[in-house]
Amino acid sequence: MGSIEKVGVIGGGLMGSGITEVAARAGLDVIVIEISDDAAKAAAGRIEGSLRRAESRGKIEAGEVTAVLERIRFETDLQTLADRDLVVEAASEDETIKLELFRNLGRILTKDDAILASNTSSIPIVKLGAVSGRAHHVMGVHFFNPAPVMQLVELIPSLTTSTETLDRMRGWVTADLGKKPIDATDRAGFVVNSLLVPYLLSAIRMYEAGYASAEDIDRGMVLGCGHPMGPLALSDLIGLDTIKAIGESMYDEFKEPLYSPPPLLGRMVDAGLLGKKSGQGFYGYES
Ligand code: CAA
């Protein structure tokens, strides 16, 4: 089994930049694909900001920030990923976009055993494998936000993923990245979002129905249940567009009303109120 040294990450958004930071901190060479130079600049700023925070809290050695940043390169052309051992796709949670990416990446990667992983929360891994033409080497590798801080990674093989691919990814996640994996089945939501998303949607429904203020709903769960943050602040952190997309995929798969996004969530997304990343969600954020 070849070692994983050269990594590609598709998308430098919240999750993509977090995964890039984690991989570069593990000493790996990372190419990030973004859609424009401006988007690449924003992603680079996010990664540097997070590294500076880690440095100020003593999580990485003083002076290591520059070395980590030097291991990261930004590109806009997918062809630059040809020599990668692993590509982690972290594009928007949109099935059409992901299918197109996997179709192209399947042709572009030149190493026979190169792995194509998706950070999707809910899109069937088996479909991504099928369009790639290299289904044995495709699986889900689901990180949690903020990726440099959260220890968990869900590993999701599909019906067509080989045991060798799963073993290599388990080794990468544990030995290289120092994360803790759990195994999940290729069903929308996997383990964590199947439990988390109905909870977040219930909090949004509660707020929409006027049961309590956003602050009191969140304080209830922080002070009453010991959660690090309340459900509405957490929804803002994840991104309201992402939660809506995950809820819709889970509803499509299981037809359970508890996964159906409430109207307020749809209206907020339509209005561009996406949470922390847009500066306004259930709460306001300074840029
Ligand atoms: N690198 C490394 N460590 C960092 C860091 C970085 N860039 N930034 C912060 N940290 C560390 C801090 O040093 C601190 O560590 P210690 O506890 O050892 O001191 C810890 O992370 C917490 O950092 P802060 O003190 O800055 O922040 P906080 O205490 O306010 O916590 C939080 C922030 C980690 C986000 C916390 O509120 C939390 O855990 N919230 C819940 C997040 C969550 O549930 N995420 C999952 C979302 S679901 C998802 O992502 C999946 C999906 O598909 C939707």
Side-chain angles (χ1 to χ4, degrees):
M1 286 196 297
S3 61
I4 291 174
E5 281 155 23
K6 295 181 173 176
V7 175
V9 176
I10 310 284
L14 279 183
M15 293 312 297
S17 56
I19 295 165
T20 300
E21 179 185 334
V22 170
R25 276 165 72 168
L28 305 172
D29 167 292
V30 190
I31 295 179
V32 184
I33 300 292
E34 255 303 355
I35 47 167
S36 66
D37 291 342
D38 283 350
K41 227 175 261 167
R46 243 190 313 275
I47 294 168
E48 182 165 0
S50 172
L51 286 167
R52 297 274 171 225
R53 258 195 316 283
E55 187 182 39
S56 71
R57 291 183 162 101
K59 298 286 170 184
I60 58 173
E61 298 290 316
E64 210 193 309
V65 173
T66 310
V68 173
L69 290 172
E70 278 170 0
R71 289 197 279 274
I72 303 171
R73 200 170 98 214
F74 290 88
E75 298 286 352
T76 50
D77 183 358
L78 278 186
Q79 295 288 344
T80 54
L81 299 180
D83 70 344
R84 300 289 100 179
D85 302 306
L86 164 70
V87 173
V88 182
E89 172 276 316
S92 327
E93 198 66 0
D94 177 316
E95 189 168 317
T96 310
I97 293 174
K98 289 188 194 277
L99 288 174
E100 184 62 13
L101 281 167
F102 274 71
R103 203 171 284 123
N104 290 328
L105 287 165
R107 284 193 290 263
I108 288 168
L109 297 185
T110 53
K111 289 186 182 155
D112 286 344
D113 64 351
I115 296 177
L116 250 172
S118 177
N119 183 58
T120 180
S121 308
S122 54
I123 290 168
I125 306 299
V126 77
K127 285 193 188 176
L128 303 177
V131 294
S132 74
R134 45 188 303 131
H136 286 10
H137 296 114
V138 171
M139 63 176 281
V141 179
H142 186 216
F143 289 78
F144 290 80
N145 183 14
V149 179
M150 306 312 281
Q151 290 196 42
L152 183 69
V153 175
E154 288 177 314
L155 296 177
I156 312 105
S158 79
L159 289 173
T160 47
T161 307
S162 69
T163 310
E164 186 195 342
T165 300
L166 176 58
D167 291 347
R168 279 182 81 199
M169 289 315 290
R170 195 186 304 285
W172 183 66
V173 160
T174 52
D176 292 6
L177 304 187
K179 299 283 188 194
K180 299 196 164 84
I182 59 171
D183 292 347
T185 304
D186 184 16
R187 297 285 183 275
F190 314 133
V191 172
V192 173
N193 280 334
S194 294
L195 297 169
L196 179 66
V197 171
Y199 158 66
L200 299 179
L201 296 177
S202 298
I204 297 169
R205 278 189 206 101
M206 180 180 261
Y207 174 68
E208 183 172 25
Y211 276 35
S213 66
E215 289 79 3
D216 280 353
I217 292 170
D218 279 354
R219 278 163 59 82
M221 296 311 290
V222 171
L223 301 180
C225 296
H227 290 193
M229 61 206 302
L232 299 174
L234 180 55
S235 298
D236 276 356
L237 177 75
I238 295 169
L240 303 190
D241 51 340
T242 302
I243 293 176
K244 177 169 177 271
I246 300 171
E248 281 168 348
S249 297
M250 290 168 64
Y251 184 75
D252 281 352
E253 179 125 306
F254 299 106
K255 305 291 182 289
E256 294 278 3
L258 79 167
Y259 298 135
S260 172
L264 175 64
L265 181 60
R267 295 296 184 279
M268 290 178 76
V269 171
D270 289 342
L273 306 174
L274 306 182
K276 202 170 172 191
K277 65 184 167 189
S278 75
Q280 182 69 49
F282 293 101
Y283 301 96
Y285 302 86
E286 285 173 20
S287 64

